[in-house]
């Protein structure tokens, strides 16, 4: 029995909807616990950041993990959502509750235009066009005074139906972000298990064949790109609302796209829960290394040891490389969630072992049957 | 600024600055293009090797007390060191991924870029390093037809010409260069003929790293800092794409072209130069995806 099959079996044995519900309940009471142990604002703010980027990573994964197209400019849609929200609120005094959906829909349309250009090419060329588009907006927004240049736009925390969100008492943000993560998860699960999602995966596995079968591949890719962009805008809206400052360096620069790729890959590309796990892991590790590692460095340690915590991206980067080299199915893969018919599965099937045992190949678009 | 107020001297100065910057782009793009041509890997970490070259060169200069000797030594030692590091990385990190989907190679090189940048920050600090004063030889300018050409820019351009010529001769006149060119043309068929393509992979990677590090040492007197790798790789990608992926002379021509466009855009365009060159790249990808000198058959 292969490692994957064993872990699948293990997962199968504990897999019930109750686990999901229990986890959700745990997350829901987290701020109360954090409050009790006196770490409320700090721990809760980390959790909110994790959830904002979980939404971003889920949106990105819809494209990368399910259509197989790697964009290097996905952050432009996070930035678009954030900037549209900020501009509507600041310059046009539109209330948050109206600015948010407008930003998401606007970005979905924007993504449609970008996709129409980028999908004229594939592979490396597709990656470069998307990177180019994102960099064009990054460099433009950096020098455009209307949107505040390098500093960006600073907005007031949103007020929704009389409730004032407050970054220093982040309970409201926490539950807003949590609800968004749950809805985004359910939405992407619905999508990838729908006939639409199955066509996307067909494109990922063999685009020519999907076209030969008769699907209008281009339409499906464009739709996926637009939805993926719109979902990224959802994370952008949350970003603007929570951080109350939208600047090009943090929302439009290509390293944010890179962070998203880190999260997807470490979490588990092409699985539904992978991006969430990845976001929690990457941001969690980042804070653990940058905040808590300091406590373990003895006084008067040599300079090279003392400055290790500052260089947490070094450790994260090494981990990322290790993931690419050795654990391509990511943490979710280790837990038994598998990308549908990954290369490994196909290889198992064509090699001799498939004759004696039916390989565990998940047959739908998601992590679970 | 109206075009009428622009003197010929200004235009010429901008042009020379562009060619000088373009030469640095060429130095980064050559390795990028060779590696892509031979191995099909778009190496995100190549800019980091450029930056690493600058830092190692700087360390050599500080050890030898700066001055002309230090700089000359840096020009020799840093490229050799980075070539060794590059070749080592190719053997250990890139090689296992040649048979996988291209996306993993892209992701790996991306991770490696972060690791190299962070390692440099870890060793030498995150702030821009102190740079010893430039050797006095490079101060001053040669005046040619009323146009002032700063010595250092002239030096950068001459060095670039020498490297391009040397690499071109190496590729066209040596047996090893022949294997490399055959490998770029068709890797599998070259291997089938019994030629050691794997060794060519390592050597080309080392050569690319060597050239990039040379550029990094030249860059010391511009503005070396850890993030330089991440910021030079994007224009270098543009150069490689505009020139045609895998095309040697395409990279050279496109490098100079992008350098000049960059300088002119920086001086005269109403939008940032970064915006302009990315628009150029997108236009090339859409209108002529094989680039200026690339082969017509590209995956589109």
């Amino acid at each position: 029995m292969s490692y994957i099959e064993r872990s699948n079996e293990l997962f199968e044995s504990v897999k019930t909807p109750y686990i999901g519900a229990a986890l959700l309940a745990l997350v829901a009471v987290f701020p109360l616990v954090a409050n009790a142990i006196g770490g409320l604002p700090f721990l809760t703010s980390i959790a909110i950041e994790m959830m904002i980027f979980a939404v971003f990573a889920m949106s990105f994964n819809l494209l990368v993990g399910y259509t197989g197209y790697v964009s290097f400019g996905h952050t432009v849609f996070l930035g678009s959502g954030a900037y549209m929200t900020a501009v509507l609120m600041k310059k046009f005094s539109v209330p948050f509750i109206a600015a948010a959906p407008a930003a998401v829909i606007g970005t979905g349309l924007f993504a449609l235009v970008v996709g129409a250009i980028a999908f004229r090419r594939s592979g490396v060329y597709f990656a470069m066009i998307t990177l180019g588009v994102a960099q064009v907006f990054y460099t433009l927004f950096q020098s455009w005074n209307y949107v505040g240049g390098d500093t960006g736009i600073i907005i007031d925390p949103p007020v929704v139906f009389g409730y004032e969100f407050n970054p220093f008492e982040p309970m409201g943000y926490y539950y807003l972000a949590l609800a968004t993560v749950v809805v985004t998860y359910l939405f992407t699960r619905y999508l990838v298990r729908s006939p639409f999602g199955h066509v996307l995966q067909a494109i990922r596995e063999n685009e020519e064949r999907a076209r030969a079968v008769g699907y209008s591949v281009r339409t499906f890719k464009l739709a996926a790109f637009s939805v993926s962009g719109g979902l990224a805008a959802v994370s952008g809206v949350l970003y603007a609302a929570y951080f109350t400052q939208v600047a090009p360096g943090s929302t439009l620069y290509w390293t944010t796209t890179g962070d998203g790729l880190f999260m997807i890959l470490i979490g588990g590309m092409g699985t539904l829960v992978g991006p969430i796990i990845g976001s929690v892991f990457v941001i969690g590790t980042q804070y653990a290394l940058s905040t808590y590692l300091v406590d373990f460095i003895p006084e008067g340690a040599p300079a090279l040891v003392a400055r290790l915590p500052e260089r947490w991206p070094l450790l994260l980067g090494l981990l990322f490389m290790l993931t690419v080299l050795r654990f391509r199915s990511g943490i979710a893969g280790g837990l038994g969630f598998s990308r549908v018919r990954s290369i490994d599965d196909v290889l198992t099937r064509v090699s001799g072992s498939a004759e004696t045992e039916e390989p565990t190949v998940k047959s739908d678009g998601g992590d679970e049957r | 600024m109206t075009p009428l107020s622009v003197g010929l001297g200004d235009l010429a100065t901008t042009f020379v600055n562009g060619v000088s910057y373009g030469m640095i782009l060429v130095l980064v793009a050559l390795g990028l293009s060779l590696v892509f041509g031979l191995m099909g890997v778009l190496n995100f970490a190549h800019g980091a090797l450029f930056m690493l070259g600058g830092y190692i060169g700087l360390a050599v200069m500080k050890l030898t007390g700066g001055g002309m000797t230090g700089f000359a030594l840096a020009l020799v030692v840093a490229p050799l060191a980075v070539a060794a590091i590059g070749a080592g990385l190719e053997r250990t990190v890139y090689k296992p991924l040649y048979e996988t989907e291209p996306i993993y190679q892209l992701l790996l090189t991306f991770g490696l870029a972060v690791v190299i940048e962070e390692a440099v920050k870890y060793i030498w600090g995150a702030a821009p390093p102190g740079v010893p004063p430039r050797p006095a030889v490079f101060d001053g300018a040669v005046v040619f037809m009323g146009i002032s050409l700063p010595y250092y820019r002239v030096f950068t351009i001459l060095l670039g010409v020498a490297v391009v010529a040397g690499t071109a001769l190496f590729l066209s006149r040596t047996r090893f260069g022949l294997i490399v060119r055959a490998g770029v043309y068709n890797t599998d068929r070259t291997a089938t003929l019994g030629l050691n393509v794997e060794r060519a992979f390592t050597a080309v990677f080392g050569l690319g790293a060597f050239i990039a590090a040379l550029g990094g040492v030249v860059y010391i007197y511009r503005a070396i800092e850890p993030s330089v790798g991440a910021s030079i790789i994007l224009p270098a990608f543009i150069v490689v794409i505009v020139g045609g992926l895998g095309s040697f002379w395409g990279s050279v021509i496109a490098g100079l072209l992008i350098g000049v466009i960059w300088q002119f855009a920086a001086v005269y365009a109403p939008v940032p130069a970064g915006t302009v060159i990315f628009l150029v790249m997108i236009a090339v990808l859409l209108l002529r995806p094989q680039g200026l000198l690339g082969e017509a058959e590209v995956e589109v």
Side-chain angles (χ1 to χ4, degrees):
Chain A
M1 231 198 279
S2 78
Y3 163 70
I4 290 178
E5 285 166 83
R6 260 202 324 263
S7 54
N8 267 347
E9 198 173 83
L10 177 75
F11 180 65
E12 218 65 48
S13 67
V14 291
K15 186 185 68 183
T16 64
Y18 298 117
I19 292 198
L23 267 177
L24 191 59
L26 215 60
V27 176
V29 299
F30 170 76
L32 308 175
V33 178
N35 196 15
I37 62 170
L40 177 67
F42 183 58
L43 290 178
T44 311
S45 67
I46 295 175
I48 294 169
E49 203 177 317
M50 286 172 176
M51 293 192 283
I52 293 173
F53 280 95
V55 174
F56 178 63
M58 279 192 276
S59 77
F60 203 1
N61 183 45
L62 189 63
L63 180 75
V64 178
Y66 288 96
T67 69
Y69 275 79
V70 182
S71 155
F72 264 99
H74 197 63
T75 190
V76 77
F77 302 125
L78 184 155
S80 161
Y83 267 102
M84 283 189 195
T85 310
V87 167
L88 284 173
M89 286 173 73
K90 182 91 172 186
K91 310 275 179 183
F92 298 94
S93 305
V94 176
F96 177 72
I97 194 87
V104 172
I105 293 168
T107 303
L109 295 174
F110 170 53
L112 212 52
V113 176
V114 176
I117 299 169
F119 278 122
R120 293 179 57 186
R121 303 284 173 257
S122 66
V124 165
Y125 298 87
F126 174 83
M128 285 300 123
I129 293 179
T130 49
L131 174 67
V133 170
Q135 283 297 115
V136 162
F137 280 94
Y138 167 69
T139 48
L140 275 181
F141 275 47
Q142 252 191 327
S143 61
W144 190 17
N145 288 332
Y146 179 73
V147 292
D150 264 330
T151 326
I153 305 178
I154 296 165
I155 56 171
D156 292 326
V159 180
V160 177
F161 300 126
Y163 177 80
E164 291 178 33
F165 283 91
N166 180 352
F168 301 103
E169 284 171 24
M171 288 289 222
Y173 283 115
Y174 184 88
Y175 289 108
L176 175 68
L178 179 59
T180 313
V181 168
V182 172
V183 170
T184 309
Y185 172 79
L186 293 175
F187 178 66
T188 49
R189 190 174 75 161
Y190 164 76
L191 267 190
V192 300
R193 291 182 184 181
S194 69
F196 172 75
H198 284 232
V199 177
L200 297 188
Q201 289 159 66
I203 292 172
R204 178 187 72 196
E205 297 305 325
N206 191 327
E207 186 165 342
E208 287 307 312
R209 202 174 293 164
R211 186 177 294 124
V213 170
Y215 288 110
S216 169
V217 168
R218 188 178 158 78
T219 313
F220 278 92
K221 288 193 294 190
L222 269 180
F225 197 73
S226 176
V227 172
S228 166
L231 281 179
V234 171
S235 67
V237 169
L238 279 180
Y239 186 99
Y242 178 60
F243 291 103
T244 65
Q245 178 178 16
V246 181
S250 47
T251 63
L252 289 171
Y253 196 48
W254 63 283
T255 48
T256 308
T257 303
D259 291 342
L261 285 174
F262 264 55
M263 290 169 187
I264 297 178
L265 196 79
I266 289 181
M269 193 189 291
T271 66
L272 286 166
V273 292
I276 304 178
I277 298 175
S279 168
V280 169
F281 182 84
V282 169
I283 294 176
T285 313
Q286 169 184 334
Y287 277 106
L289 292 177
S290 62
T291 314
Y292 297 112
L293 192 61
V294 185
D295 299 338
F296 293 95
I297 307 284
E299 284 283 328
L304 275 185
V305 178
R307 71 169 93 119
L308 197 58
E310 278 173 47
R311 297 275 69 87
W312 56 266
L314 177 62
L315 303 171
L316 216 51
L318 288 169
L319 194 65
F320 179 77
M321 286 177 64
L322 194 67
T323 312
V324 180
L325 285 169
R326 289 273 178 273
F327 313 104
R328 253 160 263 157
S329 51
I331 299 173
L335 292 173
F337 300 89
S338 72
R339 175 178 149 166
V340 189
R341 296 206 55 177
S342 67
I343 292 297
D344 291 341
D345 292 332
V346 176
L347 290 180
T348 321
R349 179 166 275 191
V350 293
S351 70
S353 65
E355 287 168 15
T356 50
E357 270 176 61
E358 195 60 33
T360 323
V361 177
K362 305 278 181 172
S363 58
D364 67 7
D367 309 330
E368 301 148 88
R369 255 182 258 263
Chain B
M1 188 186 302
T2 60
L4 286 177
S5 71
V6 179
L8 192 63
D10 291 342
L11 288 177
T13 307
T14 308
F15 182 78
V16 173
N17 288 349
V19 172
S20 157
Y21 178 57
M23 270 304 176
I24 289 180
L25 290 181
V26 169
L27 294 181
V28 183
L30 276 189
L32 211 52
S33 179
L34 280 173
V35 167
F36 185 87
L38 194 61
M39 303 167 226
V41 176
L42 202 53
N43 187 10
F44 248 103
H46 200 67
L49 293 174
F50 167 88
M51 181 269 297
L52 184 63
Y55 267 87
I56 293 180
L58 196 56
V60 171
M61 282 159 66
K62 284 180 176 166
L63 274 179
T64 55
M68 197 55 215
T69 341
F71 184 65
L73 265 175
L75 275 176
V76 177
V77 175
L80 286 176
V82 175
I85 292 170
L89 285 171
E90 195 277 332
R91 288 279 83 175
T92 50
V93 190
Y94 288 83
K95 199 177 168 217
L97 287 179
Y98 289 146
E99 298 301 319
T100 63
E101 298 164 63
I103 164 178
Y104 291 119
Q105 303 166 357
L106 213 56
L107 291 172
L108 178 93
T109 67
F110 180 74
L112 185 60
V114 173
V115 167
I116 295 176
E117 177 174 338
E118 288 298 323
V120 164
K121 285 185 191 168
Y122 180 58
I123 298 169
W124 286 292
V131 174
R134 201 163 66 178
V137 188
F138 292 124
D139 297 335
V142 51
V143 178
F144 175 72
M145 286 170 64
I147 304 157
S148 152
L149 306 172
Y151 282 146
Y152 198 68
R153 297 214 188 282
V154 175
F155 166 75
T156 306
I157 294 169
L158 290 180
L159 182 77
V161 170
V163 169
V164 168
T167 313
L169 284 175
F170 174 76
L171 287 176
S172 63
R173 295 297 153 96
T174 63
R175 181 183 149 75
F176 202 78
L178 186 67
I179 298 177
V180 171
R181 281 185 295 138
V184 171
Y185 186 72
N186 190 323
T187 313
D188 290 339
R189 209 180 295 168
T190 311
T192 315
L193 291 173
L195 297 164
N196 195 337
V197 180
E198 280 203 2
R199 208 170 57 197
F201 280 15
T202 314
V204 161
F205 211 95
L207 178 67
F210 182 93
I211 300 172
L214 212 51
V217 176
V218 173
Y219 210 78
I220 290 175
Y221 292 125
R222 279 177 171 250
I224 194 84
E225 55 175 314
S227 64
V228 155
S231 54
I232 198 101
I233 193 67
L234 297 181
F237 273 151
I238 296 177
V239 167
V240 171
I241 281 170
V242 169
L245 278 165
S247 160
F248 179 86
W249 289 109
S251 291
V252 176
I253 294 169
L256 298 176
L257 192 66
I258 294 292
V260 170
I261 291 176
W262 175 284
Q263 282 301 332
F264 273 93
V267 178
Y268 301 110
V271 293
T275 313
V276 174
I277 59 169
F278 271 104
L279 288 174
V280 169
M281 179 192 80
I282 294 173
V284 167
L285 277 173
L286 294 175
L287 303 174
R288 194 179 159 82
Q290 73 271 30
L292 297 177
L293 296 183
E295 287 174 49
E297 301 165 45
V298 285
E299 176 211 9
V300 288

